[in-house]
Amino acid sequence: MEIGWLLHPSLVPTSSFRVADIGTGTAIWALDLAQSFSVGQVDGFDIDLEQCPPSEWLPPNITVREWDAFSALPPELENQYDVVHIRLMLLVVPDNDPRLILRNSLLMLKKGGCLQWEELDPWGAYVVETGMQEPDRTRNSFQRAQEWANMATLQWVTELTSIMEEMGFEEIKKEEIVCDIRLSKYYQDSHMMLMEELAANQATGDKRKIVDTIQWLKQNAHRGKARVPSGVFFFEPFTGHGIMTADGPFWNRSRNLLKPTFSRAQISDHSQYSVHIDNLLTALLKDHHSFVDLKSYFENLALDSSTEFLFGHNIGSLTPNTTFNAWTFIQAYNIGQAGIRKRMQLPHWNFLTRDKRFWRSCSIIRGFVEQFVDYASASRKDPSYQASNRLVLVHQLSDETPNRKEIVSQLLNVFLPAHDATAIALTNIFFHLSRHPSAYATLRREILDLGPQADWTFERLKACKYLQAVMNETFRLNPPIGQMSRAALRDSVLPTGGGDDGAAPVFVKKGTVLTTSFYALHRSREQWGEDAEDWRPERWLKEDGDGLRKVAHWTFLPFGGGPRVCIGMQLALTEVGYAVGRMVEQFRAVECRDPVWEFVEEWKLSTVSRNGAKVKLVEA
């Protein structure tokens, strides 16, 4: 079972470390651990050592010993170990009750020691309908096989953390690890073997039906080169399965579930967001005397606003008394994005990479969201709870499904683009404004003409033509997402793109992946003129100055297009416009203090300014 590490990254072994490996099997985990870390001793235990290498072949710091972990603990093993390691006990736990092995593990640990248990999630398997010959039959057969195999007897796996707490363990942390998607055939076969073994123990007249169904699944589930969509492989360790990675009915369900949160009534209310802008301006007025890099401030602004909008909780990272470590979170967030980009660049060779920082960052990010899900669930059970007038996504999802993993994944699928769109766009806008003082002066005159902030409605901000031009030009030249890929679900023909002149049709075979480069599209001289590489907001204005110039459809796609256009587009545009307006109102000028004049890209999942936006802010 590949999870990205042997010992959890929070455990730092020393030369005096002593580790017990229960159910050691072939001793492969113990051997890998002894080779990878400088541990003092690894002792393997199993009811039968037939699969283990002979003792004389083992390194001097590894021993193996016969012992049934579900029997009484030998006294000499009490209080001896810094770590007890258990894995894959799904089918051997007697009476589906892990308390006996947990009691023995607790006795084996030294004071302050740690139990690490890795287990398959019997409820986490699902059918992915890509390339199957009979997807409906596969899905229905899989569901019936799960029910017939009496998977409910494995409920103890999902209850393991509460059982551990009951047994006296402290500081319990559960992490859900998504294994390498390209090994899906191996995991499928393992899951089928699990269901076969469970079915074999059934004393019902349906046993033959169960076995036949499972055999059909084993033979047919991978016909037609069925595969998990690449988006799932790229994103799932970080975001889980949600609107960004889904297709078909699950995507429709996800989008319909999210739509109410992004309604016009929700996003046009600035009252909540203005509090975060106040905190931003307070922090900048305190720190701006020489120069500041606005990038980190905008990242914290996006963090505060998106967590409150999605989770109903303001973490206050911009406030001086916050207890939240924003730097650690944002560092993990950036490492996670870089890891996703690497998976996208080298999908077929990703099994060669063992980036512990990536997997640790995924754990940090998912743990961050999990605490808000738990908080929301607990707060709504409180008799004193009063619902907000605003829709909060975590509450909507909790009403829709009790599945904590799905709630966390759906939230992360929205949090990632919601955070990035705002933070990156604001950084890039002020990067360019600091290099174009005349554009800043024009923009400031327009904002001051709006009058008091209380009069800044959604409609009035959208009517500020130069503000919209500045935003559009920045999204054009520096789109946060530089490209998009889609796979053909059936044989298709593109009307143009072929031949020497690009005017002939192009045949696209089913399964072909097509990539659209927004970066190249937005810099096309054919579409934008000879100065397409220059930042010039005036290109968006009509020649008579009355409103914005319309551009050809599909030539400007900072948020994608079609049915899968970014669901949070209007929210991002509203937040960016309001934040720019407040900043420009507060500061008379923004002067560049960056020794590098050019925009330098840093390519992660999104494309950001490597040098941020280093400026001096001049108060009004």
Side-chain angles (χ1 to χ4, degrees):
M1 183 167 63
E2 178 59 61
I3 59 174
W5 32 262
L6 294 169
L7 279 181
H8 190 274
S10 64
L11 300 174
V12 182
T14 66
S15 58
S16 62
F17 233 52
R18 193 172 179 190
V19 180
D21 183 28
I22 296 180
T24 194
T26 60
I28 188 171
W29 185 89
L31 287 164
D32 283 349
L33 183 70
Q35 291 173 353
S36 303
F37 295 97
S38 178
V39 294
Q41 183 73 32
V42 183
D43 298 329
F45 301 93
D46 211 312
I47 195 171
D48 186 344
L49 300 181
E50 178 121 4
Q51 299 180 64
C52 286
S55 297
E56 56 268 24
W57 292 4
L58 297 173
N61 65 335
I62 295 182
T63 69
V64 291
R65 170 177 172 175
E66 283 193 6
W67 172 56
D68 180 358
F70 298 99
S71 65
L73 179 71
E76 66 272 17
L77 298 181
E78 292 187 18
N79 303 312
Q80 295 297 310
Y81 294 98
D82 298 282
V83 174
V84 172
H85 173 250
I86 304 173
R87 69 172 184 165
L88 304 180
M89 290 285 178
L90 197 64
L91 292 177
V92 299
V93 171
D95 301 320
N96 296 302
D97 186 349
R99 288 173 177 80
L100 188 54
I101 193 171
L102 286 173
R103 183 180 67 82
N104 284 338
S105 301
L106 195 59
L107 291 172
M108 295 172 77
L109 288 169
K110 300 176 183 176
K111 184 177 181 180
C114 179
L115 168 64
Q116 176 177 309
W117 189 327
E118 300 137 26
E119 196 55 79
L120 291 173
D121 177 7
W123 306 96
Y126 58 94
V127 173
V128 179
E129 303 171 23
T130 51
M132 297 177 185
Q133 291 183 344
E134 299 179 75
D136 290 337
R137 182 179 177 186
T138 302
R139 190 191 319 106
N140 295 334
S141 297
F142 182 79
Q143 184 176 348
R144 288 199 306 270
Q146 293 265 87
E147 296 169 355
W148 287 336
N150 199 15
M151 298 289 279
T153 59
L154 304 178
Q155 186 68 29
W156 67 266
V157 177
T158 60
E159 298 171 352
L160 189 57
T161 52
S162 59
I163 297 173
M164 291 174 69
E165 186 175 8
E166 169 198 319
M167 297 293 294
F169 287 89
E170 299 177 350
E171 298 184 32
I172 302 166
K173 184 175 182 181
K174 177 183 177 181
E175 297 188 17
E176 295 171 344
I177 306 295
V178 179
C179 297
D180 194 327
I181 290 299
R182 282 156 308 122
L183 298 177
S184 60
K185 182 67 168 71
Y186 161 74
Y187 291 115
Q188 171 197 289
D189 292 345
S190 298
H191 197 78
M192 296 301 171
M193 289 171 63
L194 165 66
M195 289 197 290
E196 278 186 305
E197 187 158 345
L198 286 170
N201 294 328
Q202 299 300 308
T204 70
D206 285 332
K207 184 182 293 187
R208 184 69 260 161
K209 190 192 302 183
I210 301 170
V211 173
D212 288 346
T213 299
I214 293 173
Q215 287 298 323
W216 186 90
L217 281 166
K218 289 172 68 176
Q219 293 168 11
N220 291 277
H222 267 260
R223 283 189 178 178
K225 297 184 179 178
R227 58 183 176 82
V228 174
S230 58
V232 178
F233 167 72
F234 298 150
F235 288 93
E236 190 147 12
F238 191 73
T239 64
H241 193 43
I243 192 170
M244 288 199 304
T245 61
D247 287 299
F250 187 82
W251 175 81
N252 280 323
R253 173 176 170 270
S254 299
R255 193 168 182 94
N256 290 333
L257 190 62
L258 299 175
K259 268 184 179 179
T261 309
F262 295 94
S263 67
R264 179 166 177 169
Q266 285 277 102
I267 65 178
S268 60
D269 180 5
H270 300 307
S271 59
Q272 194 178 75
Y273 190 55
S274 66
V275 174
H276 304 299
I277 299 295
D278 290 341
N279 293 336
L280 169 71
L281 295 176
T282 299
L284 287 173
L285 289 169
K286 174 185 174 185
D287 300 336
H288 79 286
H289 300 295
S290 53
F291 79 90
V292 294
D293 184 354
L294 291 175
K295 181 180 179 181
S296 61
Y297 290 89
F298 290 145
E299 286 178 336
N300 285 352
L301 170 66
L303 184 59
D304 287 356
S305 62
S306 55
T307 51
E308 183 163 26
F309 186 82
L310 300 175
F311 310 145
H313 187 76
N314 178 12
I315 61 174
S317 67
L318 284 167
T319 59
N321 299 321
T322 182
T323 58
F324 179 74
N325 190 336
W327 183 87
T328 299
F329 174 84
I330 290 173
Q331 184 185 47
Y333 186 80
N334 290 333
I335 291 171
Q337 285 209 40
I340 295 175
R341 172 56 63 184
K342 187 185 296 182
R343 293 166 76 83
M344 296 174 75
Q345 290 173 314
L346 300 171
H348 300 296
W349 296 99
N350 201 262
F351 68 96
L352 296 176
T353 66
R354 290 294 182 268
D355 188 348
K356 294 180 180 178
R357 294 200 314 159
F358 170 69
W359 291 101
R360 189 180 299 118
S361 73
C362 292
S363 176
I364 291 172
I365 297 301
R366 292 190 70 84
F368 168 77
V369 178
E370 284 170 359
Q371 68 178 332
F372 287 110
V373 173
D374 294 341
Y375 174 81
S377 177
S379 64
R380 300 189 87 192
K381 294 177 183 177
D382 189 325
S384 62
Y385 169 79
Q386 290 185 341
S388 168
N389 291 328
R390 296 180 64 99
L391 292 177
V392 178
L393 184 56
V394 68
H395 295 159
Q396 287 183 270
L397 292 169
S398 298
D399 290 340
E400 183 72 18
T401 174
N403 188 323
R404 181 171 178 260
K405 181 178 179 180
E406 181 182 349
I407 295 172
V408 171
S409 296
Q410 289 283 16
L411 287 168
L412 275 169
N413 270 254
V414 177
F415 176 80
L416 190 151
H419 178 274
D420 278 11
T422 303
I424 294 173
L426 286 171
T427 301
N428 294 346
I429 286 171
F430 281 90
F431 174 94
H432 290 294
L433 286 173
S434 67
R435 287 157 173 78
H436 296 84
S438 61
Y440 189 91
T442 302
L443 177 60
R444 190 162 191 271
R445 286 194 297 271
E446 182 178 62
I447 294 299
L448 293 179
D449 286 343
L450 282 176
Q453 293 168 21
D455 297 334
W456 292 16
T457 63
F458 173 85
E459 290 77 12
R460 293 194 69 196
L461 283 171
K462 200 163 183 178
C464 291
K465 59 180 184 295
Y466 200 76
L467 171 62
Q468 298 302 318
V470 165
M471 291 165 57
N472 285 351
E473 183 68 350
T474 305
F475 278 121
R476 181 192 71 83
L477 201 61
N478 308 112
I481 301 298
Q483 65 182 38
M484 173 191 70
S485 297
R486 293 288 185 266
L489 298 179
R490 53 184 174 273
D491 290 348
S492 308
V493 176
L494 297 180
T496 59
D500 294 338
D501 60 358
V506 177
F507 172 70
V508 180
K509 186 176 176 59
K510 176 183 177 181
T512 302
V513 176
L514 295 90
T515 298
T516 300
S517 172
F518 301 143
Y519 184 90
L521 176 67
H522 291 178
R523 291 169 183 248
S524 167
R525 286 182 170 84
E526 181 181 349
Q527 301 294 336
W528 302 99
E530 292 302 313
D531 63 349
E533 298 282 343
D534 299 335
W535 187 85
R536 189 172 64 83
E538 287 73 19
R539 77 173 74 248
W540 292 89
L541 303 176
K542 290 182 178 179
E543 291 184 4
D544 60 6
D546 184 21
L548 294 175
R549 181 173 67 89
K550 289 189 176 182
V551 299
H553 195 44
W554 300 108
T555 59
F556 179 57
L557 301 170
F559 294 93
R564 296 190 70 126
V565 66
C566 176
I567 195 170
M569 176 177 68
Q570 289 303 326
L571 172 67
L573 293 173
T574 301
E575 289 190 344
V576 170
Y578 184 80
V580 170
R582 291 287 303 275
M583 287 280 292
V584 169
E585 179 191 48
Q586 182 71 51
F587 299 104
R588 177 168 50 84
V590 177
E591 300 172 358
C592 178
R593 289 293 185 269
D594 192 340
V596 180
W597 187 261
E598 296 80 12
F599 188 95
V600 181
E601 288 94 354
E602 181 178 359
W603 201 34
K604 299 181 293 184
L605 173 61
S606 50
T607 306
V608 302
S609 168
R610 179 182 293 276
N611 296 326
K614 299 180 177 67
V615 302
K616 176 178 174 57
L617 300 170
V618 182
E619 286 187 61

